[in-house]
Amino acid sequence: MTPRKSRTTTALTCAVLAGSGLLAGCQNGSDAKSPSAASASASAQPHGYVEGAEEASEQQSRLVLADAGTGAVEVLDLITEDTSSLRRNDGVRSLRTDGRFAYLSSDGGTRVVDTGAWTVDHGDHVHYYRAAIRDVGAVAGAVSPRVHSDQAVTAVSSAKGGTQLLDRKKLEDGAVPRGTELTGTGSGVVVPYKERLLVTAAGAGKDNVEVRDRDGAGVATLKEPCAQARGEAVTRRGVVFGCADGALLVSEDKGTFQAEKIPYGTSVGASERAAEFHHRAGSTTLAARSGDDAVWVLDVTDRSWTRVRTGPVVAANTAGEGAPLLVLGEDGALTAYDIATRKSIARKKLLAEGAESAAVEIDTSRAYVNDAAGRKVYEIDYSDHLRLARTFRLDFSPTHMVEAGR
């Protein structure tokens, strides 16, 4: 299946103009509205209304794909199967997302792309949105950053040390604002959570997680330590940080923050630690590589770890809640494991051997694997014995991939 090349420049521009009331020159065909109808629509503004965006009935998933060789950057809409080409970005080293924005990192800094797809979870109900795909700008000095956001602030923590706080609303308006430098973080990471900032101070001689307000002022230091903090994930039950002796779960109740250690329960060497977590958005089950030939599964709800021996691993992920663990091996095969029994239950050969940069992205019903050498992305139904649902053929090599809209 070859994605349809999108002719959506005018349509996407109109989507933006519609939110600002400048739609006049964009009306055509059945999309045209009279001034009176537009005024009535603007005055109604139903619950969940977001200016410039269209609310949808299902998650609007989009894949951001980058070619490390040519610098090509494209967004693949998984609903329409259209692709949108963006300007090239030479030397992409890493690609991350906070659910809506993608962050392409190279030696010169980090470029921000608005994927135009996101989810707002209110707990008892969810809103899904789609809008124009657009380049936003660059965050200078942020190299291979870890990025986390809430509705008000985006924290960009550079691998070289230091964190910049960005005004989220200004990002959503289409521009990268001047960042506020957060001091005293060393090479640690900052995670916005429950109207506060959770700060690890890796490399700064500290083992505890700090709670700060959004201006960076200290609020509290959590008592439970997290030595050599590496890796983090935001779940419905709190924020998980990877520690030398397990994981630290930080939660909040009525403005008070608590930290609870989830120990491995056994001696774990530094090379076998969980240091990079992957999971389905909203899930409380996390996957992380453990050394070269195994994967950790952390069940946050049960406060338990399971180590699955898999053989050489390229990438791993899981949807949680009874779904299998998906592991892409160095041989190019995707294998599904029953987490409870740690046994293989399905296997499918996808990539040529030696695919070191591939990722496994996962949502509520499908998983996605990028094949740089084959210039393809595979969509897998992981609930149906790894059935190949769709193959997206591309005219560039998708070295890096993230899924947005979550």
Side-chain angles (χ1 to χ4, degrees):
M1 178 178 297
T2 301
R4 299 191 298 272
K5 282 295 179 181
S6 175
R7 298 182 179 179
T8 58
T9 303
T10 301
L12 293 177
T13 301
C14 290
V16 176
L17 295 179
S20 60
L22 302 177
L23 189 62
C26 292
Q27 298 173 355
N28 64 83
S30 60
D31 292 331
K33 293 183 179 180
S34 68
S36 58
S39 299
S41 177
S43 62
Q45 294 191 0
H47 170 66
Y49 170 81
V50 174
E51 186 176 7
E54 173 190 352
E55 187 166 6
S57 60
E58 61 180 334
Q59 182 173 303
Q60 301 298 292
S61 297
R62 290 170 176 175
L63 297 178
V64 183
L65 307 163
D67 187 332
T70 67
V73 179
E74 296 200 2
V75 179
L76 169 60
D77 190 316
L78 294 171
I79 304 296
T80 67
E81 299 182 6
D82 291 331
T83 60
S84 298
S85 297
L86 303 177
R87 68 176 179 82
R88 292 180 178 270
N89 195 121
D90 293 334
V92 176
R93 288 188 173 187
S94 67
L95 177 59
R96 295 183 181 274
T97 182
D98 61 8
R100 172 175 177 175
F101 294 91
Y103 302 83
L104 299 99
S105 178
S106 58
D107 290 337
T110 294
R111 171 182 165 198
V112 185
V113 170
D114 185 351
T115 68
W118 69 97
T119 298
V120 177
D121 188 348
H122 290 296
D124 60 343
H125 67 283
V126 178
H127 295 278
Y128 305 108
Y129 298 99
R130 61 185 295 121
I133 300 166
R134 56 185 174 178
D135 274 299
V136 178
V139 182
V143 178
S144 298
R146 307 185 79 84
V147 182
H148 295 279
S149 302
D150 64 10
Q151 292 183 347
V153 65
T154 293
V156 182
S157 303
S158 176
K160 291 185 176 181
T163 295
Q164 297 183 55
L165 301 179
L166 308 178
D167 186 319
R168 180 75 172 183
K169 182 62 168 62
K170 292 181 179 178
L171 279 180
E172 293 171 353
D173 288 342
V176 176
R178 181 183 296 274
T180 300
E181 191 74 22
L182 195 64
T183 60
T185 63
S187 58
V189 69
V190 177
V191 181
Y193 180 67
K194 298 293 183 179
E195 300 184 7
R196 291 288 186 264
L197 304 175
L198 302 181
V199 182
T200 67
K206 300 178 182 179
D207 288 338
N208 296 84
V209 174
E210 296 179 65
V211 181
R212 302 190 189 184
D213 64 24
R214 284 175 171 161
D215 293 324
V219 174
T221 298
L222 301 178
K223 293 181 179 180
E224 185 68 45
C226 182
Q228 303 170 26
R230 288 166 52 202
E232 67 287 332
V234 180
T235 76
R236 285 182 178 271
R237 295 188 179 272
V239 180
V240 173
F241 294 98
C243 314
D245 56 352
L248 189 72
L249 174 63
V250 180
S251 57
E252 179 268 350
D253 182 30
K254 298 178 181 178
T256 300
F257 287 77
Q258 302 92 19
E260 177 185 354
K261 182 62 64 66
I262 307 176
Y264 286 119
T266 186
S267 178
V268 175
S271 65
E272 296 180 339
R273 283 183 49 189
E276 180 80 24
F277 295 104
H278 299 275
H279 70 306
R280 175 181 61 79
S283 171
T284 56
T285 305
L286 315 179
R289 292 175 59 175
S290 176
D292 296 328
D293 60 357
V295 173
W296 283 112
V297 178
L298 172 59
D299 188 322
V300 177
T301 301
D302 290 343
R303 310 292 201 269
S304 64
W305 292 91
T306 301
R307 191 170 188 263
V308 181
R309 294 188 177 276
T310 60
V313 182
V314 171
N317 211 332
T318 180
E321 302 172 4
L325 168 67
L326 302 184
V327 178
L328 182 67
E330 288 185 356
D331 60 357
L334 184 67
T335 304
Y337 291 87
D338 181 291
I339 297 173
T341 65
R342 311 183 193 189
K343 301 296 185 181
S344 169
I345 55 176
R347 178 180 171 86
K348 180 175 288 294
K349 178 74 172 182
L350 291 177
L351 282 63
E353 295 183 16
E356 298 179 355
S357 66
V360 178
E361 291 288 306
I362 201 162
D363 56 33
T364 55
S365 62
R366 297 290 188 267
Y368 299 91
V369 178
N370 54 316
D371 181 358
R375 295 190 166 193
K376 299 174 184 176
V377 171
Y378 303 103
E379 181 184 75
I380 304 295
D381 184 348
Y382 54 80
S383 298
D384 188 15
H385 304 285
L386 302 183
R387 178 178 61 86
L388 182 60
R390 290 186 290 181
T391 298
F392 300 99
R393 293 177 173 83
L394 309 167
D395 57 6
F396 67 101
S397 297
T399 316
H400 304 283
M401 176 184 73
V402 293
E403 182 180 1
R406 301 179 291 182

